[in-house]
Amino acid sequence: MAVQIIDRRLAGRNKSVGNRERFIRRYKQQIAESVRRAVAQRDIRHIEQAESISIPQKSIREPVFRHGPGGIRDTVHPGNADYVRGDRIARPPEGGSGQGEQASGSGEGEDDFTFTLTKEEFMQLFFEDLALPHLLRTHIGDNPQWKSRRAGYSQDGTPHNLAVLRTMRGALGRRIALTKAAQRESQALQAQLEALRAAGDGASEAATGLQRQIDALKQRMGRVPFLDPIDLRFRARTQVPVPNSQAVMFCVMDVSGSMDQARKDLAKRFFILLYLFLTRHYETIDIVFIRHHTQAAEVSEDEFFHSTESGGTVVSSALVLLGDIMRARYPVEDWNIYVAQASDGDNFSNDSGNCRDLLADRILPLVRYFAYVQVAEEEQNLWEEYGQLLPLYPHFAMRKVAQPGDIYPVFRELFKKEGVPV
Amino acid sequence: MSMVHYPVLERRVGDNPWKLASTGERRQRSVPREPLPAGARPAQPLPDPSDWSFELIERYHAAIAATAERFGLDTYPNQLEIITAEQMMDAYASVGMPVNYRHWSYGKAFLATERRYRRGHMGLAYEIVINSNPCISYLMEENTTAMQALVIAHAAYGHNSFFKGNYLFRMWTDASSIIDYLVYARDFIAQCEQRYGMDAVEQVLDSCHALASFGVDRYRRPVRKTLARERLEREQREHYAQQQVNELWRTLPARPGKDAPAQAAERFPREPQENLLYFIEKHAPLLEPWQREIVRIVRKIAQYFYPQRQTQVMNEGWATFWHYTLLGTLYDEGWLTDGVMLEWLGSHTNVIYQPPVGHRAYSGINPYALGFAMYRDLQRICQHPTEEDRHWFPDIAGAPWLPTLDHAMRNFKDESFVGQFLSPRLMRDMRLFSVHDDASAQELVVSAIHDEEGYRSLRQLLSQQYDLGTREPNIQVWSVNLRGDRSLTLRHTPYQGRPLAEDTREVLRHVARLWGFGVQIESVDGEGRPVQLYAVPAPPG
C-alpha cells in the first residue's frame, strides 16, 4: 500500500506564534498588570526570565449556548459496586465534581487561566511604552560606520560581481538590434533567388549576384560579436552610513557603611532595569561598575553587588574615576554613554559641591543620559547640589526610591517617551 | 434569475444527500468473510531498538499494511509525518489541523497545552490523524519504535479506515479538499486582517465561534467544491448574497396590483431554522461581504468537525480495536519481539483504562474503553455466541465477524451504535448503572443497574448520552421582525426541563453583533408557551 513518510521536524516550527501573539494582544491589559506586579516583587537576578501569568478564567471564557444546571439528567456510570435499582443517593455538594463534570485534577482552580510568558514577551511588555530619552543616534559625521548595500547595476566592476543574466540579456538585445535589418534584407534576397531558381535561372548572372549579396550580408551578421564589452553589467554596491549602535553603561554605587543591604538591593534593581532597557536598543553594550566609599574602584559585577564595605563616603572620587575611564576607553564619537548613579545621599559634607562641578564640567557634556537615584528619603546636601543641575541639563534626572515597588514607576518616569524635552 | 449564473448557491433542496458517488476513492471495497491467510513466517522478528529510524518505520509499516490488507481494511493512502513535541502542541492548538486561520482562542489553547505539558500534567497524544486524502498521521519524534508501530496501526489504519468508511464522514466531509479549504480560509482571513484591521476580524470570528456548534446542518449534505472553485465563486457570491439581503429588507411600498399584499404579513423565516450561522450569513442585514465570508468559513469548518463530534466512541474504539488486532496478529506470526509487544500493551492498557465511578481519576466514560470493549464484544458475539447473545442479537450471533464489524463501523454513529450493539454481557462487565437526577428532588435515584430489568433502559440511556441533540440545547431561529425593529427571535425548546446556562446572554450579544439589530431568546415552558429569557439591544454603531 502506498505510503509516504515525511520528515517535518525542521519545517513549520512555532506555527502557533501568530495565535499566541493574538492572545497576548487581546489580554494586554491584564497581562501588563501582572508583569508590573512581577517586576515590583520578584528577585532581580531572575528579572530577565519567563514569567507565569494568571488571568481570571472568567474573562477569557468563550461563551456558547449550553445547558445550565437543573432539569432532569440521566447519566450512565461504570463500576457499580453495591447499588441496586431504587437506591437513593444524597446529592453531592454543589460545585463538587459530581455529575460527570470534569474534575480539575490538575491541582489548580478553575478560576485562573495560567500560562507562561517567554522571556522575550515579558521584556517586550515591560518596555512597552518606554524609550530612551535622547535616543538620537550619534550623528553620522561623528562616527563613520559603513554598511554595504545593493544598489542596482553598473557598467563597470570586478569580475566576481558580474551579473550574468543582465549581461546576457543586454547582449541578446544588442545582437537583435544590429542584425535585424540585414536579416530582413537577406531574406528578401533569398526569396528572389528562390524565384529565379524556380524559373530555371539558377545559374544566371542575376542569381550569382544575389547569392553574393546574401553571402556578404551573412558575413556582416556573423561579425556582430556574441558578447561585447558594452554588454557587461555588474552588481553595484554602495556604502551607506549606519548609526552607531554601541553603548556603555556606567553603574556608580555607594557601598559605604550607610548603604545597607536593602538599599543596595534597590539600587541593584535600578541598574538591572537600565541594563535590560539598553540591551533592547543597542547591539553591543559595555558595562562598567564603579563602586565607592571614600575611594572609588572599578570592579567586577559580582564584587559590585555582593561585597560589603564600611566607612565614610566621598562621592567625587567615583566621578573622577568615571570621567577618566570615559575619556580613556569610551570616546564619545564611538559610544553612546549612559550613567546610572545610586546612593543614599550621604556624602562627606564638603564634597557635594565638588561633585556638582565635576558633573557639570567633565561628565554631563559627554553623556547621553545621567540618572541619579537616591535610595533614602531624607534630603542631604548631595541632593541639594544635584538639584541645582536639574534645570540646566535636560538629560540629567534624579529621583528618590524608597521600596521595591517604587522602582518600576520611577524607571518609567525617568525614561518616559516625552518626559524629557530634547 | 437563472441558477446557472450563480452555481455558488448551495443547492440545498432537491439534492439527494443519501446518494453517494460510487466511483474513485469512495467506492466500497468488499470485506473478506475471514482474514486472508498469512504469508510466510519471518525468519526473525523486526528489530526493536528504542530509537526509530526511517528505514524501521518503513519496515514496520509494510508489515502492518500487509496485515491490514488481509483483514480487508479499506483506507485512504497514508502519509506519515514525523514531527516534534512542539509541533504536536501547535497541531493541538489549531484543532489538529495542519493549517488554520489565526485566532486568539487557538493561542489560548496552545498556552494551556504547553503549560500542562511542561509541568508534566499531561502527556501529549501519541498521534494526531487528519481526515484528509491522503490521510495524514503525525508521529512524534519522541516516540520509541514500538510506539511508532502502535501509532501506525492505530491512526494510519484504524482511524483512516474509519474516516473512509463511516457514513457520516462520507456524507459530510470531503477528505480530498479540506486542506485546500483551510489554506483558503487562512489566506482570506489574513487578507481581511490587513484590510479591515485585526480587531474587526477578531470580533467577527469571536461571534462566529460562539455559534459554531449551531452552524451545522444536521440533516443535509453540503455540496462538494474544489479550492479553485471556491475562490472563483466567492466574489459572485458576495455580490449576489448582498442583493438577496437587500431584497429582503426592501422598504419600498408595495405597488398595487404587482406585489402581493399578503407578503407583509408573511412570517420570516417561514419555518424555524436550526443552522444559526447559515441564517445569519444569508439574511443578516448589515454584514459586509467579507464578514459574510468569514461566517461562511467558520460554518464550513464547524460542519467538517460535526461527524467527529458524533463518532468519538466508535472512531476511537475502532482504531483501538485495530491496533490491538493488527499488532496482536503480527506478534502471533513472529514479526514482533516480546519487548515491542510489552511496550505497546503497556500504552494500550493505559489508554483503555476505565476508572470506576467515585475514583479520583473518574471523569465519565472513557470513549476508548467503551468503544474498544464494544468492538471486541461484537467480535466475541460473532465467534463465540452464548444463548443470551443469540437471544439479543439473532442477526449477528455466529455470523462472520469481519463483515459484521465492517457494517457496524460504516453505518452508525455513537448514539445508534450503542443503541444497537451494547450487549448485556458488556454491561455486566463494565458494571454500568444509571443515576436519575431530577433537580427538583432531594436525592438522586439509581434508576437501572446491570440486571435483567435494567439492560434495555441502560442501553437506551447510554445511547441518549451520546446524542448531540440532547447534549446541546435545541435553539432555532424563530422569527424576524421584518417591518418593525428588525429584531431576531431565537427559540429554545428545553429538553427534560434543562435550562440554558448563564452565559447565554453573552452569546446573545455575539448574535446581536452579527445580526446588527436586537436579539431575544425565548424558551418554551411546560405548557408550550414561549417565555422570554433574555433580550439584547442592537449593538451600538
Side-chain angles (χ1 to χ4, degrees):
Chain A
M1 189 156 294
V3 65
Q4 207 173 359
I5 303 179
I6 300 177
D7 189 354
R8 288 252 189 249
R9 281 172 294 180
L10 294 179
R13 216 170 261 275
N14 286 331
K15 243 191 254 174
S16 288
V17 165
N19 296 326
R20 199 185 159 109
E21 274 170 14
R22 277 165 182 71
F23 178 81
I24 289 171
R25 185 172 155 275
R26 185 181 172 102
Y27 295 103
K28 204 161 198 173
Q29 290 291 325
Q30 286 107 311
I31 295 173
E33 191 50 48
S34 303
V35 167
R36 227 161 282 151
R37 264 202 312 275
V39 169
Q41 284 164 11
R42 116 167 105 168
D43 185 60
I44 54 165
R45 259 159 301 193
H46 303 115
I47 201 95
E48 206 179 8
Q49 263 188 356
E51 164 68 9
S52 104
I53 301 285
S54 297
I55 300 178
Q57 189 74 258
K58 200 161 167 271
S59 62
I60 62 164
R61 209 175 45 201
E62 298 165 80
V64 288
F65 285 129
R66 54 193 175 87
H67 287 303
I72 299 168
R73 270 153 223 271
D74 290 290
T75 24
V76 177
H77 299 284
N80 181 14
D82 46 14
Y83 293 129
V84 293
R85 196 147 71 98
D87 275 0
R88 292 182 177 273
I89 310 168
R91 191 178 292 280
E94 285 294 317
S97 56
Q99 287 295 303
E101 297 288 329
Q102 60 211 35
S104 64
S106 50
E108 62 210 22
E110 290 280 308
D111 298 341
D112 279 355
F113 177 81
T114 310
F115 65 97
T116 310
L117 279 182
T118 64
K119 183 175 128 187
E120 286 74 22
E121 286 163 341
F122 181 83
M123 300 320 288
Q124 181 76 43
L125 284 161
F126 178 54
F127 290 119
E128 208 224 312
D129 45 2
L130 299 179
L132 268 192
H134 290 220
L135 212 103
L136 317 162
R137 301 294 167 112
T138 303
H139 274 299
I140 294 161
D142 292 349
N143 60 325
Q145 275 198 0
W146 300 92
K147 201 180 164 188
S148 164
R149 285 239 177 88
R150 297 262 295 266
Y153 299 92
S154 74
Q155 301 214 3
D156 49 19
T158 51
H160 78 273
N161 272 337
L162 183 68
V164 178
L165 205 68
R166 271 297 164 121
T167 304
M168 297 315 284
R169 203 191 291 164
L172 183 64
R174 179 183 50 76
R175 288 202 304 274
I176 291 171
L178 290 183
T179 58
K180 197 66 193 172
Q183 206 148 33
R184 216 176 285 129
E185 204 176 325
S186 98
Q187 268 165 6
L189 294 173
Q190 190 73 39
Q192 286 177 26
L193 182 61
E194 295 298 328
L196 280 180
R197 283 196 184 131
D201 273 352
S204 71
E205 186 80 16
T208 4
L210 279 174
Q211 187 62 55
R212 216 177 299 122
Q213 272 178 303
I214 291 170
D215 289 346
L217 280 173
K218 284 219 168 117
Q219 228 171 24
R220 219 172 81 198
M221 285 190 275
R223 276 201 296 276
V224 174
F226 182 75
L227 200 61
D228 194 90
I230 63 164
D231 298 331
L232 298 182
R233 291 291 179 278
F234 298 88
R235 288 187 296 271
R237 300 192 76 85
T238 178
Q239 299 287 320
V240 288
V242 286
N244 196 348
S245 62
Q246 51 186 3
V248 57
M249 170 180 157
F250 288 92
C251 300
V252 180
M253 185 165 67
D254 180 0
V255 291
S256 64
S258 54
M259 282 288 279
D260 57 18
Q261 196 53 46
R263 286 175 171 180
K264 263 198 211 164
D265 210 44
L266 285 175
K268 208 185 289 182
R269 285 175 197 235
F270 181 75
F271 293 137
I272 287 178
L273 293 188
L274 179 61
Y275 170 71
L276 293 178
F277 187 55
L278 293 178
T279 56
R280 320 258 317 158
H281 288 278
Y282 296 99
E283 279 168 26
T284 49
I285 298 170
D286 269 16
I287 312 183
V288 178
F289 296 97
I290 298 173
R291 61 169 195 182
H292 69 89
H293 34 100
T294 50
Q295 285 168 353
E298 186 185 351
V299 294
S300 74
E301 181 171 357
D302 191 52
E303 257 183 282
F304 185 73
F305 284 131
H306 296 113
S307 69
T308 47
E309 300 282 336
S310 57
T313 314
V314 180
V315 176
S316 63
S317 64
L319 298 181
V320 171
L321 182 63
L322 171 67
D324 291 345
I325 295 174
M326 229 149 65
R327 279 182 179 71
R329 303 202 325 241
Y330 299 102
V332 71
E333 309 86 63
D334 294 341
W335 294 85
N336 295 289
I337 301 171
Y338 292 82
V339 183
Q341 185 187 3
S343 153
D344 57 359
D346 199 13
N347 196 12
F348 183 60
S349 47
N350 293 336
D351 188 50
S352 296
N354 198 3
C355 292
R356 190 198 60 210
D357 294 342
L358 272 171
L359 268 190
D361 299 341
R362 280 171 59 89
I363 296 172
L364 286 178
L366 299 180
V367 303
R368 291 239 161 268
Y369 198 66
F370 190 110
Y372 170 65
V373 282
Q374 180 171 311
V375 289
E377 262 311 315
E378 70 271 35
E379 292 178 9
Q380 301 192 27
N381 50 14
L382 188 65
W383 181 265
E384 284 156 22
E385 297 286 346
Y386 271 18
Q388 294 172 20
L389 294 170
L390 208 50
L392 304 175
Y393 296 92
H395 59 291
F396 174 75
M398 50 194 281
R399 284 285 184 286
K400 279 185 216 157
V401 172
Q403 51 192 337
D406 289 348
I407 294 258
Y408 183 56
V410 166
F411 184 72
R412 279 171 69 96
E413 215 174 322
L414 282 180
F415 296 107
K416 206 178 283 167
K417 267 173 190 161
E418 299 88 11
V420 184
V422 178
Chain B
M1 187 161 298
S2 154
M3 292 290 279
V4 181
H5 294 112
Y6 296 101
V8 287
L9 284 181
E10 290 185 38
R11 293 192 202 86
R12 289 156 62 90
V13 187
D15 194 6
N16 181 0
W18 306 101
K19 196 174 154 213
L20 293 168
S22 57
T23 52
E25 277 301 337
R26 303 223 158 221
R27 191 184 55 233
Q28 266 190 37
R29 268 202 246 158
S30 61
V31 182
R33 291 173 64 84
E34 289 297 322
L36 302 178
R41 205 178 163 81
Q44 60 201 31
L46 292 167
D48 64 342
S50 64
D51 289 338
W52 56 269
S53 68
F54 285 99
E55 187 240 335
L56 269 180
I57 286 186
E58 258 170 62
R59 286 175 65 187
Y60 274 91
H61 173 266
I64 292 168
T67 315
E69 184 85 45
R70 282 166 44 210
F71 286 100
L73 281 184
D74 181 21
T75 60
Y76 291 121
N78 273 307
Q79 181 168 321
L80 307 174
E81 302 197 353
I82 315 285
I83 61 171
T84 60
E86 216 172 294
Q87 287 168 318
M88 189 59 121
M89 288 190 283
D90 282 342
Y92 257 64
S94 54
V95 287
M97 304 310 287
V99 278
N100 209 337
Y101 56 85
R102 302 214 177 286
H103 187 249
W104 65 269
S105 61
Y106 302 138
K108 171 182 144 187
F110 179 79
L111 290 168
T113 314
E114 187 188 32
R115 178 156 189 281
R116 278 187 295 163
Y117 177 63
R118 294 217 191 287
R119 297 180 115 208
H121 281 158
M122 68 178 251
L124 290 174
Y126 303 117
E127 43 83 27
I128 282 184
V129 56
I130 294 165
N131 169 24
S132 61
N133 181 10
C135 178
I136 301 172
S137 315
Y138 291 144
L139 308 184
M140 252 208 312
E141 179 185 35
E142 282 83 350
N143 292 349
T144 60
T145 310
M147 289 307 300
Q148 303 290 30
L150 176 66
V151 171
I152 292 171
H154 182 90
Y157 288 89
H159 283 304
N160 188 348
S161 60
F162 192 85
F163 290 146
K164 195 172 174 194
N166 183 267
Y167 86 103
L168 279 174
F169 286 88
R170 294 164 69 86
M171 188 161 70
W172 289 108
T173 66
D174 185 1
S176 59
S177 70
I178 179 63
I179 304 284
D180 278 355
Y181 190 77
L182 287 170
V183 169
Y184 158 76
R186 183 192 63 191
D187 293 349
F188 181 79
I189 286 176
Q191 274 172 19
C192 287
E193 280 183 344
Q194 276 185 1
R195 206 175 297 166
Y196 307 105
M198 271 203 203
D199 290 321
V201 175
E202 185 177 284
Q203 284 188 350
V204 179
L205 279 175
D206 285 355
S207 299
C208 292
H209 282 192
L211 296 176
S213 45
F214 292 84
V216 291
D217 288 326
R218 290 180 168 75
Y219 306 105
R220 291 208 177 91
R221 181 169 62 124
V223 178
R224 299 186 202 295
K225 271 184 216 137
T226 63
L227 171 65
R229 229 180 107 193
E230 191 76 48
R231 278 211 176 112
L232 187 81
E233 290 170 352
R234 195 185 77 227
E235 235 174 283
Q236 298 174 321
R237 185 167 61 231
E238 283 175 357
H239 178 70
Y240 180 70
Q242 198 63 45
Q243 218 170 333
Q244 289 299 95
V245 170
N246 295 346
E247 187 63 24
L248 177 63
W249 300 105
R250 213 160 73 115
T251 50
L252 288 178
R255 283 165 296 173
K258 288 215 167 176
D259 300 325
Q263 203 184 356
E266 203 173 85
R267 54 172 280 116
F268 180 80
R270 268 194 219 158
E271 288 171 352
Q273 302 280 317
E274 57 161 7
N275 192 334
L276 267 52
L277 281 183
Y278 182 84
F279 186 81
I280 285 168
E281 183 196 329
K282 297 299 174 196
H283 303 299
L286 298 182
L287 287 184
E288 300 282 332
W290 63 270
Q291 291 171 320
R292 279 185 215 286
E293 186 64 20
I294 289 181
V295 174
R296 182 183 174 82
I297 285 171
V298 173
R299 184 170 70 78
K300 289 251 167 186
I301 293 175
Q303 188 78 62
Y304 169 83
F305 283 111
Y306 186 56
Q308 312 213 349
R309 286 161 56 211
Q310 295 184 86
T311 53
Q312 217 195 351
V313 170
M314 285 184 76
N315 198 347
E316 292 304 351
W318 179 256
T320 309
F321 174 82
W322 279 109
H323 79 228
Y324 180 82
T325 309
L326 291 176
L327 293 181
T329 310
L330 282 172
Y331 177 73
D332 292 342
E333 288 165 5
W335 288 93
L336 304 184
T337 60
D338 294 350
V340 170
M341 186 72 182
L342 282 173
E343 188 174 349
W344 77 255
L345 269 178
S347 314
H348 172 80
T349 319
N350 286 337
V351 163
I352 62 160
Y353 174 58
Q354 172 67 68
V357 68
H359 191 280
R360 213 166 48 85
Y362 178 71
S363 60
I365 292 180
N366 174 356
Y368 289 82
L370 179 64
F372 176 69
M374 282 187 66
Y375 285 110
R376 287 286 289 169
D377 194 48
L378 268 179
Q379 192 186 22
R380 180 193 61 78
I381 293 172
C382 292
Q383 289 176 324
H384 312 288
T386 61
E387 258 325 294
E388 186 184 44
D389 295 328
R390 286 189 201 285
H391 173 69
W392 279 73
F393 304 101
D395 299 349
I396 58 173
W401 69 274
L402 271 177
T404 307
L405 256 71
D406 187 67
H407 168 77
M409 173 273 282
R410 282 180 191 280
N411 302 311
F412 296 85
K413 55 184 169 185
D414 282 352
E415 176 198 354
S416 51
F417 181 65
V418 170
Q420 190 75 30
F421 296 115
L422 187 68
S423 75
R425 157 106 180 233
L426 186 59
M427 287 185 245
R428 284 196 300 273
D429 286 352
M430 291 185 77
R431 305 188 71 77
L432 296 180
F433 69 108
S434 71
V435 176
H436 180 76
D437 174 5
D438 186 340
S440 58
Q442 282 291 322
E443 289 170 318
L444 311 179
V445 180
V446 176
S447 55
I449 64 160
H450 42 90
D451 60 10
E452 205 57 53
E453 299 110 274
Y455 291 143
R456 286 189 194 279
S457 150
L458 266 184
R459 187 154 87 167
Q460 189 220 338
L461 289 174
L462 189 59
S463 155
Q464 243 170 43
Q465 209 163 310
Y466 288 107
D467 181 2
L468 275 192
T470 64
R471 285 210 312 235
E472 289 170 353
N474 176 1
I475 292 174
Q476 302 193 333
V477 178
W478 186 253
S479 69
V480 175
N481 185 346
L482 272 190
R483 298 289 169 251
D485 62 358
R486 299 183 167 188
S487 67
L488 174 76
T489 304
L490 304 178
R491 177 167 286 190
H492 169 231
T493 314
Y495 171 74
Q496 296 215 334
R498 291 184 202 167
L500 289 175
E502 284 163 13
D503 45 4
T504 303
R505 186 188 290 275
E506 278 301 306
V507 187
L508 277 200
R509 259 182 223 126
H510 284 299
V511 181
R513 189 190 278 163
L514 293 173
W515 183 248
F517 294 98
V519 175
Q520 51 197 330
I521 188 164
E522 52 191 32
S523 191
V524 183
D525 69 5
E527 278 93 58
R529 282 184 311 243
V531 179
Q532 184 175 329
L533 292 178
Y534 303 102
V536 174

